[in-house]
Amino acid sequence: MMIFKIINIFKLIRIWNIIFAILTVLLSSFILSETRGLFSCLVIVALSMAFGNILNDLLDINIDKIAHPKRPLVTGVITRTETKLYLIILFILLLIVSTNLNYIALKCFYMLIFPLLICYSLWIKKIPLLGNVAVALLLSLVFIFTELILKETWYQLLVPASLAFGLSVIRELIKDINDYIGDKKNRINTLP
């Protein structure tokens, strides 16, 4: 039974997306030839993505009943109360781990990344194209944020960040097509 719960928590946080982000951080570290601060970066990126995915599922439960009926929150395998508890735990862990960040990375995280993550789930995703751009920006910021932590610079990984941004906008538009019926029934306007 415990294995079943863990599998569903992994589904809730979208573990494959987090693994992809972790690989992005590791690739960035390799490109920059720097490992100082790598562990903190990996943990913050993973926790942030888990937080964002859980928050999004919690707020999108009615849309997901149509678009993603097998998600753990929709099926009731994970309750809303558990989901809120996971959010609180992730937030506390983010606060703790972020104390290890340098000033510029800390500023970027708390003034740009984390507010954008929350605002996306609450409001931005309901605005056609802007929601897609916000997600693409968050995904491309994995490169820049990693560089901020490892090198305290922001420009060396602009090319892969830009590529990630462009590809992510396209990916997000395609995902919107899949969610169209659920979005429409819940009066959320997306580009499709």
Side-chain angles (χ1 to χ4, degrees), residues 17 19-34 37-38 41-42 44-46 49 102 104-105 108 112-113 135-168:
N17 291 350
I19 289 170
F20 187 70
I22 287 170
L23 292 173
T24 302
V25 171
L26 293 172
L27 175 64
S28 299
S29 173
F30 177 76
I31 291 169
L32 296 169
S33 299
E34 182 64 67
L38 180 60
C41 186
L42 289 167
I44 287 179
V45 167
M49 287 190 74
N102 61 59
I104 191 166
C108 177
L112 176 63
I113 296 170
V135 170
L137 179 61
L138 284 166
L139 293 172
S140 66
L141 278 170
V142 172
F143 286 100
I144 304 302
F145 184 65
T146 301
E147 183 179 341
L148 287 172
I149 291 174
L150 302 183
K151 290 281 201 176
E152 296 187 37
T153 61
W154 56 269
Y155 51 84
Q156 294 179 56
L157 296 177
L158 275 178
V159 171
S162 299
L163 181 60
F165 177 80
L167 293 172
S168 295

Side-chain angles (χ1 to χ4, degrees), residues 92-174:
I92 291 169
L93 290 172
L94 278 167
L95 287 175
I96 292 168
V97 177
S98 69
T99 60
N100 294 327
L101 296 180
N102 61 59
Y103 178 74
I104 191 166
L106 189 67
K107 195 172 177 181
C108 177
F109 183 72
Y110 282 112
M111 294 181 75
L112 176 63
I113 296 170
F114 201 68
L116 184 57
L117 193 64
I118 292 171
C119 290
Y120 167 78
S121 290
L122 292 173
W123 305 292
I124 297 173
K125 69 180 170 192
K126 298 174 185 174
I127 303 169
L129 194 58
L130 188 58
N132 306 99
V133 170
V135 170
L137 179 61
L138 284 166
L139 293 172
S140 66
L141 278 170
V142 172
F143 286 100
I144 304 302
F145 184 65
T146 301
E147 183 179 341
L148 287 172
I149 291 174
L150 302 183
K151 290 281 201 176
E152 296 187 37
T153 61
W154 56 269
Y155 51 84
Q156 294 179 56
L157 296 177
L158 275 178
V159 171
S162 299
L163 181 60
F165 177 80
L167 293 172
S168 295
V169 168
I170 294 167
R171 178 179 176 261
E172 288 303 311
L173 289 170
I174 292 168

Side-chain angles (χ1 to χ4, degrees), residues 60-92:
D60 275 359
I61 194 164
N62 291 327
I63 294 166
D64 288 345
K65 285 178 183 175
I66 298 163
H68 305 283
K70 293 183 181 179
R71 286 207 173 144
L73 197 55
V74 173
T75 62
V77 174
I78 295 178
T79 67
R80 287 180 189 234
T81 303
E82 288 174 306
T83 304
K84 291 174 185 175
L85 178 63
Y86 297 150
L87 281 174
I88 292 167
I89 291 168
L90 288 168
F91 181 70
I92 291 169

